[in-house]
Amino acid sequence: MPSDTKYLYAVSRIKALETKLLSRNVIERMLDASSADEALKVLGETDYGTSFGELESVYDFEKVLNSELKKVYKVIDDSTRDSRFTQMAKLRHDFHNLKVMLKSEYLGENYEGITVELGAVPLETMARAVREKDYTELPSALKKAAEEAVMDFEFNRDPQRIDIILDRQLFAALYKTAEDIGFEAVKKFLATEIDLININIFVRTKRIGQDARFLENALIDNGNLDKSLFIESLNEPLGTFIDKLSMSVYEEVAREGIQAVVDTGSTTLLEKLSDDFLLDQAKKGKFTAFGVEPIIGYLRAKENEVKIIRIIMVGKINNIPSDKIRERLRDVYV
Amino acid sequence: MEIRVNPTRMELTRLKKRLKVAQRGHKLLKDKQDELIKKFIDLVKKNKELREEVEKELTSAFNNFVMARAVMSGEILEESLMYPVGKVDIDIARKNIMSVITPVIKVKQQDEEQKKNIYSYGFANTSGELDNAINILSGILPKLLELAEVEKTCQLMAAEIEKTRRRVNALEHIMIPQMIEKIKYITMKLDENERGNLTRLMKIKEMVMVEGSV
Amino acid sequence: MITIGQFFAVLGAAIAVLLPGIGSAKGVGIAGESAAGVVTEDPGKFGQTLLLQALPGTQGIYGLLTGFVIMQRIGLIGGKLIELTTYQGLLVLSAALPIAFVGLFSAISQGRTAAAGVGIVAKRPEELAKGITYAAMVETYAVLALLASILMIFGIQF
């Protein structure tokens, strides 16, 4: 494991940046705003205001969020002088873009507006690779994923499998990067995220009545919880699964979140609790002055913040009552 | 109004026949109209019920959708749904209601395997709220098709009722009164001729008698 | 003619300066790197972070002080090195050890504590004093080591 003072500059810079994260107070004010415009105005008073230049209407708020994320990636790249941290965030966007392009290639339709520019691979490069079916220009993780997905689609013709394969490959690539960074904390954090995703996949697979083969395919590798735990539980009632998780750290997520799925059939609470659990893990970063925890914590905090803003803005635009929005609101980092 | 008709006995017989047919037709059309309206009202009731039901479910699907949109970025949501997998085969047949040709839409039953496969996206970065929305939308489809069928039938029936009513009105208020008028006219004309003839005959008879006596 | 005793005594002076010096350099470096991060985002915090950065520097000074005292005692500064037996030389070397090692490690630790203190300043500038207090606690042990080393050096009879 590298020395824990390796990213000291970045860590303390992040400490200073943490003070600019949105506080509960701002979020409450956005929530209490009477309209989407009002909510956006509250956001404009914060640090996000600097990205408001490209804003034409409230519907463009996603642009602001994207440019904010871009800024965060740049700060972390600059301060750590190590692109692997943001690589882990950018990979997700790259894989998203690859999904879009593969699907639109098979549909023969245009994909504009669905891709994001937050990835590491330029969109044109990826579009060309997909069009010419020559993936050599892509990073190896994307290349491998694209080849597998294309081969599978030619055979199965199932777009869902494109997503499933790419998701699996994405997390394999993330795990590899985490191992490469060398800090146990990064790996541990990723494994926790994988566990929570797997719980979500399991519950939803069960809800739609899919079989064990589907589940095995969909589950992500490298989690702390064994895949067989999920597969074996597929034919048992969810209550048994909750009991099985009660010995793990996910006890609370299971007891409240999965119970809510049993009671109401809705995954809303489970997803909120999962995100909060992950944020809780990330919060370790607030209390350490060394290592990488503050970096992954801040990245997660920022992504979480973007999610919160999105929930509020979409809710406000669609005139969803405040309590419905609040139900879905995630915890905050600060 | 000027009545242009040949005041002949032949014409009179023809008109009388026509009037009979018209009156008979009027009665039949009137019956048809009544029946159509009865059926139409039933259909409209059914249509309203269906529509309310469908709208209720659609609203809940859209609510789920909005919430799924809230917890996922727009791009991920669109990516998830860009390649549709759900397929529905339908049969369209025709049905004759009171001589109105109406469509009958039949949904071919999907097998169980297909029902599970309505989700076109992976689960790792999507929300379970999207599953709900898709599930409701997929379940609502047969009802939506039924609603389409009933609505189209209503439209066709309404047009037919309108047409029938116009015909009934035309018969009742124009054709039949006109024919009666014409018959009356011809009868009068014929009667007058008769009387004219009679007078003439009497006059001739008188003249012949006067000449004979001279 | 230079004796082995004289060599050990000079070696003592050398490590008394050397190790705490390395430690302080490292400690100040750690705190400085940390401070730079905060100042990048908030240049107004330069003064406060500088204070924290300077704290791990004291060990180097203590080392230098000890080194001077040794040099002065063995006559190195006066130009005339006094005669020393091997044992006397080893005594001087031993006397230098406390400040040498404690200085080295305490400076690095203090550097880390100061870096953590910089984290406090980043979030709550008004709590600077607390950050300094935490870092200064580490100083205690450097002072104690310095005290022990000086007492020993003055206690050695030549």
Side-chain angles (χ1 to χ4, degrees), chain A residues 154-194:
Chain A
E154 304 282 349
F155 183 68
N156 283 317
R157 294 270 143 200
D158 183 356
Q160 186 179 33
R161 290 190 55 91
I162 293 184
D163 278 14
I164 288 176
I165 288 167
L166 291 192
D167 285 341
R168 191 153 27 85
Q169 291 284 358
L170 163 66
F171 279 94
L174 288 178
Y175 195 76
K176 231 177 116 195
T177 316
E179 268 189 330
D180 191 42
I181 291 175
F183 281 92
E184 205 53 42
V186 186
K187 240 160 82 178
K188 225 175 117 192
F189 188 71
L190 185 68
T192 307
E193 191 190 347
I194 292 174

Side-chain angles (χ1 to χ4, degrees), chain A residues 93-154:
Chain A
H93 302 300
D94 281 334
F95 270 84
H96 165 78
N97 288 342
L98 186 59
K99 278 183 201 170
V100 173
M101 289 188 187
L102 284 176
K103 284 185 181 178
S104 54
E105 175 73 14
Y106 286 118
L107 280 172
E109 280 172 20
N110 206 343
Y111 50 80
E112 248 164 64
I114 312 182
T115 49
V116 282
E117 295 197 10
L118 290 165
V121 181
L123 289 176
E124 303 86 64
T125 313
M126 196 180 280
R128 194 169 54 239
V130 170
R131 204 170 45 238
E132 290 164 10
K133 295 202 167 26
D134 174 14
Y135 310 106
T136 42
E137 270 185 71
L138 301 179
S140 64
L142 283 164
K143 176 172 175 277
K144 200 170 131 203
E147 279 165 356
E148 192 187 332
V150 166
M151 201 139 81
D152 188 272
F153 192 82
E154 304 282 349

Side-chain angles (χ1 to χ4, degrees), chain A residues 4-10 12-20 75 286 289-290, chain C residues 30-31 33-38 40-42 111-113 115-116 118-119 122-123:
Chain A
D4 67 356
T5 50
K6 188 173 173 188
Y7 303 108
L8 202 52
Y9 169 77
S12 55
R13 193 161 161 190
I14 282 167
K15 292 267 161 200
L17 285 171
E18 275 172 14
T19 59
K20 292 179 186 163
V75 166
K286 274 202 311 185
F290 305 98
Chain C
I30 290 172
E33 203 177 321
S34 196
V38 174
T40 311
E41 293 302 330
D42 190 355
R112 290 171 64 94
T113 317
V118 169
K123 292 215 174 132

Side-chain angles (χ1 to χ4, degrees), chain B residues 117-132:
Chain B
N117 243 336
I118 50 175
Y119 308 99
S120 62
Y121 46 88
F123 288 172
N125 58 354
T126 53
S127 162
E129 311 211 28
L130 189 59
D131 299 358
N132 278 347

Side-chain angles (χ1 to χ4, degrees), chain B residues 143-161:
Chain B
K143 262 189 205 147
L144 262 177
L145 288 171
E146 199 188 338
L147 180 65
E149 178 191 315
V150 172
E151 273 205 2
K152 187 71 201 166
T153 308
C154 279
Q155 268 178 26
L156 291 170
M157 298 263 287
E160 184 68 21
I161 289 173

Side-chain angles (χ1 to χ4, degrees), chain A residues 14 22 25-26 31 48 58 91 111 115 126-127 133 141 165 168-169 198 215 237 243 251 261 286 297 313 325:
Chain A
I14 282 167
L22 297 190
N25 185 15
V26 175
L31 203 56
Y48 283 85
V58 283
L91 263 176
Y111 50 80
T115 49
M126 196 180 280
K133 295 202 167 26
I165 288 167
R168 191 153 27 85
Q169 291 284 358
N198 278 346
L215 178 65
D243 292 340
E251 196 232 332
V261 178
K286 274 202 311 185
M313 288 308 297
I325 302 178

Side-chain angles (χ1 to χ4, degrees), chain C:
Chain C
M1 180 64 197
I2 293 164
T3 63
I4 295 180
Q6 285 170 331
F7 165 71
F8 279 132
V10 173
L11 183 65
I15 65 165
V17 180
L18 189 75
L19 294 183
I22 293 174
S24 280
K26 211 160 172 172
V28 172
I30 290 172
E33 203 177 321
S34 196
V38 174
V39 172
T40 311
E41 293 302 330
D42 190 355
K45 294 203 170 109
F46 174 71
Q48 288 163 311
T49 51
L50 189 67
L51 213 58
L52 279 165
Q53 192 199 358
L55 281 175
T58 48
Q59 278 84 344
I61 299 170
Y62 298 161
L64 185 67
L65 181 67
T66 314
F68 270 132
V69 172
I70 293 172
M71 284 185 258
Q72 206 258 327
R73 284 284 286 160
I74 61 175
L76 205 60
I77 288 177
K80 177 91 186 74
L81 209 55
I82 57 169
E83 289 290 319
L84 288 172
T85 65
T86 309
Y87 286 111
Q88 281 174 323
L90 280 174
L91 278 178
V92 172
L93 177 60
S94 310
L97 291 183
I99 188 59
F101 284 100
V102 175
L104 170 64
F105 293 113
S106 72
I108 296 173
S109 297
Q110 201 174 21
R112 290 171 64 94
T113 317
V118 169
I120 300 181
V121 173
K123 292 215 174 132
R124 299 172 185 277
E126 69 279 6
E127 303 293 1
L128 169 68
K130 288 180 184 156
I132 292 177
T133 312
Y134 287 139
M137 294 301 281
V138 187
E139 192 77 16
T140 322
Y141 302 94
V143 174
L144 293 180
L146 173 71
L147 192 64
S149 284
I150 299 283
L151 282 177
M152 281 191 252
I153 292 160
F154 281 113
I156 297 167
Q157 300 293 323
F158 295 113

Side-chain angles (χ1 to χ4, degrees), chain A residues 202 206 232-244 258 262:
Chain A
F202 169 78
K206 192 157 171 54
E232 282 161 14
S233 308
L234 191 61
N235 292 320
E236 297 164 5
L238 274 175
T240 322
F241 185 66
I242 297 174
D243 292 340
K244 278 184 186 171
I258 304 182
V262 176

